[in-house]
Amino acid sequence: MAFHVDLAAVLFIIWGALTTLIGLSTLALGIAAMALASSAAVEGRQFAAGLMAATFTTLAVLAIVWGVLHIAVGFPLRRHQHWSRMVALLLGSVDLLLLPYGTALGCYTLWVLLHRSGRVLFEAELKPVE
């Protein structure tokens, strides 16, 4: 099961990197919409461009934060740190809503980390060394 935990960690890192990249490209769209809003002469167009700028910027920030969280959890998950299992289960549960790749990652994460042999890898860290 250690292979599956390591694979889930690598998938978390890849998913986080791709989500961050998407967030950065969406931020570029938000910046472009802000430029359009500031140069629009007609008030209706200025409002629409401003609304799109706010929407793109908000979605970009959410995607960047979501991606960075996955990367930040992926590395400790690979080292089998106890706290990373709990955070990965939380992120994986929310990923279920992000069709289709997030759903696949969420299902795989839940299967690996809730399986008995997957749990044992993380409980070994808590046992005192004799």
Side-chain angles (χ1 to χ4, degrees), residues 1 4-5 8 107-115 117-119:
M1 188 56 81
H4 289 289
V5 172
C107 287
Y108 186 68
T109 301
L110 294 176
W111 175 72
V112 167
L113 296 179
L114 291 176
H115 195 269
S117 55
R119 271 191 310 227

Side-chain angles (χ1 to χ4, degrees), residues 64-99:
I64 291 168
V65 168
W66 193 248
V68 169
L69 278 173
H70 278 78
I71 293 170
V73 169
F75 287 110
L77 187 65
R78 196 152 189 215
R79 291 188 299 267
H80 303 158
Q81 292 183 358
H82 179 70
W83 67 268
S84 66
R85 178 180 173 266
M86 296 299 159
V87 178
L89 284 170
L90 176 71
L91 292 174
S93 298
V94 178
D95 280 339
L96 290 171
L97 301 173
L98 303 173
L99 296 170

Side-chain angles (χ1 to χ4, degrees), residues 15 52 65 128:
W15 176 255
M52 288 310 298
V65 168

